[in-house]
Amino acid sequence: MTSGRAQLLRDMVRIRVVEETLADYYRDEQQMRTPTHFSIGQEATAVGVCAATTSQDLVFTAHRSHAPYLAKGGDLKAMVAELYGKQAGCAHGRGGSIHLVDRAAGFGGSAAILGEMIPVAVGAAWAFARSGRPRAVATFFGDGATEEGVFAESLNLASVHRVPVVFVCENNLYSISSPIGARQPAGSTIQDRAEAAGVTAARVDGNDVFAVYEAAQRALRHCREGNGPYLLELATYRWREHVGPGFDHGQDHGYRPVGETEAWMARCPIVRATEILREQHPDIDRTVAEWSAQYGDEIQRAVVYAKEQPFPDADALLDGAYHPVPR
């Protein structure tokens, strides 16, 4: 099965299997000594946007970075080794889950500070614009980052200079444990704020991978044609806790109602895409099961590889931290 729509589903299945497996290892073994922010339940946002990019486009993300990294073509073995803090990791074991990078795949980097990579992405896109190259940049962040001053500043600069950047807001309704209704004015949207800055924007069902892909194609084409920045507000929902492998709804945690979480789980992007494709591909359920087994084997091999790799040498601890001082 090689259709474009089937590939979107396949990519989501891969990310889901990888992250659920890593969450189990993280919880049970306690060998990954790095904060992890899983995108389980949000796979459609990363897959839909990254599938619309070209090899010449760049992607930057915030702390919830695994899904965009893999969707953009990042090296799985290097990512897993990074989570284990090994020298073979994509950041040589120095960054962990929230500092992934794969320049060869066009994944420019991720960072932990809220909103940190938004201006970095704008700067990279501005460089593309000044060079005259028809390239674009996409930067992922959550709804909480839109309350940072750097978000408004980046929107303004990108709008003034017609920078080819797509701002991708994965609006999952919570900033850690704080619901969006307690943080942002009633009746307002992130799309509204972008448009107020002169940025073209759209709100999309972030759990519909096909809708996300089509919207991302429009947004990236808008940018590459020199029409300035674009913002996509993608409505989605993380299934796991803000950081870590567990769950954060119900009596033990309480800030996310069980009914709310169950309703969003019923809108699983993988299940929805599978149902849409079933009419055209009657054997899609068997195919998804085969993909799950295939990627289960792949992530298990990546974990074995990561565990076999050495930790960074202490003598090289500061390598890359400081530019050599001329003598």
Side-chain angles (χ1 to χ4, degrees), residues 57-76:
D57 296 331
L58 282 178
V59 166
F60 294 86
T61 76
H63 45 263
R64 206 170 302 282
S65 56
H66 306 164
Y69 174 93
L70 293 174
K72 192 66 174 75
D75 187 321
L76 174 63

Side-chain angles (χ1 to χ4, degrees), residues 93-306:
R94 290 163 173 78
S97 166
I98 50 183
H99 293 287
L100 304 180
V101 62
D102 192 326
R103 298 294 175 82
F107 188 85
S110 59
I113 298 174
L114 195 63
E116 179 180 3
M117 300 307 280
I118 297 175
V120 174
V122 170
W126 196 8
F128 289 167
R130 291 174 64 86
S131 71
R133 290 174 289 176
R135 301 171 67 183
V137 176
T139 178
F140 288 80
F141 50 88
D143 50 284
T146 67
E147 295 148 25
E148 293 291 304
V150 73
F151 173 68
E153 295 165 357
S154 297
L155 286 177
N156 184 74
L157 188 146
S159 180
V160 168
H161 294 283
R162 302 177 69 83
V163 172
V165 58
V166 179
F167 299 98
V168 182
C169 178
E170 297 177 290
N171 186 348
N172 61 22
L173 306 179
Y174 287 86
S175 179
I176 306 181
S177 60
S178 178
I180 195 167
R183 299 180 281 109
Q184 299 187 11
S188 70
T189 68
I190 295 162
Q191 176 188 3
D192 292 338
R193 271 181 277 165
E195 291 176 340
V199 176
T200 304
R203 299 178 72 192
V204 181
D205 182 348
N207 278 20
D208 181 342
V209 70
F210 307 128
V212 173
Y213 175 64
E214 291 173 2
Q217 284 186 308
R218 289 193 298 270
L220 287 160
R221 183 168 55 249
H222 171 97
C223 290
R224 294 192 196 103
E225 292 176 351
N227 298 312
Y230 204 108
L231 180 137
L232 293 173
E233 181 181 353
L234 307 180
T236 188
Y237 199 84
R238 57 176 169 80
W239 292 8
R240 302 294 178 110
E241 57 193 328
H242 166 68
V243 54
F247 293 86
D248 56 6
H249 58 274
Q251 293 182 352
D252 292 340
H253 299 277
Y255 71 82
R256 294 207 298 178
V258 173
E260 176 186 276
T261 303
E262 289 177 344
W264 276 96
M265 285 182 169
R267 299 176 59 192
C268 171
I270 292 175
V271 171
R272 290 176 67 184
T274 302
E275 290 173 346
I276 290 171
L277 290 176
R278 188 171 291 120
E279 182 176 350
Q280 182 180 1
H281 303 286
D283 60 347
I284 189 66
D285 296 283
R286 177 178 58 81
T287 301
V288 167
E290 292 172 354
W291 288 340
S292 296
Q294 174 187 340
Y295 295 131
D297 291 340
E298 181 189 24
I299 182 56
Q300 293 293 349
R301 292 194 301 271
V303 169
V304 171
Y305 167 82

Side-chain angles (χ1 to χ4, degrees), residues 15 42-51 67-68 71-72 140 170 212 234:
I15 291 169
Q42 297 188 186
E43 296 87 356
T45 58
V47 169
V49 171
C50 290
K72 192 66 174 75
F140 288 80
E170 297 177 290
V212 173
L234 307 180

